[in-house]
Amino acid sequence: MTTTTSTKPYLLRALYEWCLDNNQTPHIVAWVNEHTRVPMQYVRDNEIVLNIGTIASHALTIDNEWIHFSARFGGVAHEIWIPVGHVISIFARESGEGMGFEVEPYQTDSEKKGGDALHLVEKEQQTEADSPPEDGGGNNGGKPKKGLKLVK
């Protein structure tokens, strides 16, 4: 099975553009941990709300892994680094329109490598659990059908 790129950074970029095209101010809410670089005095309950509009942010980049820009807080310049997976929502300040997302904690390459072995074991166990019973019964083990999921 091939791994697909997350839709989250594409949706963030699209909603950012939509805000600008409609003369609204884009804001993001981000989950903060040790992988997030933001001024900590503005963090409440491990979350921060940031204005990413063109006036408030300088040199904004939203790539597939990071949101990066510089901004002033109380007159002091800060470099902001937020993993895309940490974005909880993006919205227009004026209308409140936007979209919420599932938080995906950032992992370093070494954390990913260590986690891959565990993921493969879990995948193997899931495959075995999803296999049809040996007697040929086709009731799908009583499992509900998969539904929609939060955007990643």
Side-chain angles (χ1 to χ4, degrees):
M1 184 169 113
T2 58
T3 304
T4 59
T5 305
S6 172
T7 57
K8 190 172 190 176
Y10 297 90
L11 293 168
L12 290 170
R13 289 188 290 265
L15 288 166
Y16 172 82
E17 290 293 327
W18 176 86
C19 285
L20 297 183
D21 288 351
N22 287 280
N23 297 313
Q24 298 198 44
T25 311
H27 282 63
I28 58 171
V29 178
W31 176 64
V32 177
N33 73 356
E34 70 275 8
H35 298 296
T36 312
R37 189 188 308 168
V38 297
M40 295 305 288
Q41 65 267 35
Y42 298 98
V43 175
R44 299 286 177 262
D45 299 322
N46 292 71
E47 295 180 8
I48 190 167
V49 179
L50 296 165
N51 178 343
I52 59 170
T54 54
I55 295 171
S57 65
H58 177 69
L60 174 70
T61 303
I62 304 174
D63 66 26
N64 289 351
E65 291 191 34
W66 293 94
I67 295 175
H68 170 251
F69 60 96
S70 59
R72 292 191 170 275
F73 293 82
V76 179
H78 292 270
E79 290 293 314
I80 307 299
W81 288 90
I82 300 168
V84 165
H86 287 207
V87 175
I88 296 168
S89 65
I90 183 169
F91 64 94
R93 180 183 63 205
E94 294 80 359
S95 67
E97 291 182 81
M99 182 178 283
F101 300 94
E102 179 180 315
V103 171
E104 303 161 9
Y106 177 80
Q107 292 183 311
T108 62
D109 288 339
S110 61
E111 289 171 335
K112 287 178 187 174
K113 288 177 185 168
D116 282 350
L118 179 60
H119 176 69
L120 290 174
V121 170
E122 289 172 350
K123 180 85 172 152
E124 216 171 85
Q125 291 171 344
Q126 184 65 36
T127 303
E128 290 171 8
D130 287 344
S131 300
E134 303 234 353
D135 65 2
N139 70 355
N140 196 24
K143 293 182 184 176
K145 291 184 179 179
K146 300 249 180 200
L148 293 175
K149 62 182 178 181
L150 290 174
V151 175
K152 291 187 178 178

